[in-house]
Amino acid sequence: MNERIKSAAAFEEAKQIIPGGVNSPVRALKSVGTTPLFVRDAKGPYIYDIDDNKFIDFCMSWGVFILGHNNDKVSKAASDAIFHGSSFGIPTLAETTLAEKVRESFPSMERLRFVNSGTEATMSAIRVARGFTGRDILVKFEGCYHGHADHLLVSAGSAVAKLNNASSAGVPAGFTQYTVVLPYNDTEALEKYFAGNGDKVAALIIEPVACNMGVVPPTHEFIEATRKVTQEHGAILIFDEVITGFRLSYGGAQKRFGITPDMTTVGKIVGGGFPAAAFGGRADIMSVLAPEGPVYQAGTLSGNPVAMAAGYETLKQLGEPGVYELLEERSNRFLSRLEKIVEGKGIQVNHVGTMFTMFFNDQPVRNFQDTKKSDQERFARYFRNMLDRGIYVSPSQFEGNFISLCHTDEILDYVLKSIEESIE
């Protein structure tokens, strides 16, 4: 068992000045019944806390570090960029260079703009879609998370589509009156809503693989239907690939599934570990953005040169031959063995590519209502058991875990052994 005396003291100190002691709620580890780690440094697959404990990391900054923590070439690219200046609020060549790299991997993003976070990217993409179509209604899916913008903090109370109240205090009802929530993986509900209301819908936004209720893959019929109904009714299809982009393939989920959305948001990996994201799409849609068009969006730190340098080096490495083939081979071996370990033990393993979630659930998990039937207390015990064995899995039953290039077969073998012990 790892002693975390210094981390516990640091958490108490942080709570005196930072609300809840953390700058993002899940970091508090409240749902898993323990106190958070305070990280000192990280390298490859490992994080080290201020108590000098070493952990194999499967959160990887929520999927960011597909190359591993503190990759030498990425760190050098960032430090070299800092030497020339950390921010200008004036254009740099690095912005165009990375934009070209993103478009190379996501051809559907004919034109794109950088921002600082996934929340900014999705918020901006939706504004552009509304400005382009002249319509108001946004369709999203229950359990899909697209950042904490007011109009996106909405969750359906049932499997019936309806206009919803916000799921967070501080959001006026008027901010969400044009947000409609439909059940994920329910093709019939999707088609029925668009049949009656499609001409009023500005955009449909979806995580092509749900990652924020845990990893929940779409059925082929369902993900195809998102493209079909939006095309039929002149609505904009937005793929939120903040997590799946550059993780499921060099061209994200849209390449993996063979579906071309009208707009895409990417984040996480695109910044190489620095705050960066992007939104983009068809050239005619993106032309409504100021200063070219009437839709306003701005940001002093957008296209930050340090983030651009780190992002470019990351994508450069990911674009090398054989990278994704190696990732898939390693992940498939691990996940097939994991499925055998948990068989008959009330655990469902949902996975796509290098992303997976272990749901402590007797039944298959296909949507948000299914995820909510999972045994959160059992997951919390599992999390603590894994932590005692030096493994940091994503600290929520409703999040994904991420396999990266730095997770060697030897490391994955140890993790499998630890999982087998921890679920008993």
Side-chain angles (χ1 to χ4, degrees), residues 194 201 203-204 225-237 262:
F194 267 82
V201 176
L204 179 156
T226 64
R227 179 65 285 182
K228 179 173 177 286
V229 297
T230 49
Q231 282 183 328
E232 287 176 350
H233 294 276
I236 304 300
L237 175 61
D262 302 302

Side-chain angles (χ1 to χ4, degrees), residues 185-199:
N185 264 336
D186 190 332
T187 305
E188 183 180 353
L190 172 63
E191 292 177 340
K192 183 178 179 180
Y193 181 80
F194 267 82
N197 305 278
D199 60 344

Side-chain angles (χ1 to χ4, degrees), residues 235-280:
I236 304 300
L237 175 61
I238 305 171
F239 269 15
D240 178 354
E241 298 226 41
V242 167
I243 292 178
T244 56
F246 299 107
R247 180 155 279 282
L248 292 188
S249 77
Y250 196 58
Q254 55 196 260
K255 180 179 179 181
R256 195 178 184 106
F257 297 150
I259 295 174
T260 304
D262 302 302
M263 298 189 73
T264 301
T265 62
V266 292
K268 308 288 186 188
I269 292 170
V270 79
F274 289 83
F279 66 99

Side-chain angles (χ1 to χ4, degrees), residues 305-321:
V306 181
M308 298 297 97
Y312 182 82
E313 177 57 39
T314 299
L315 300 195
K316 181 181 172 184
Q317 291 187 50
L318 290 175
E320 292 174 359

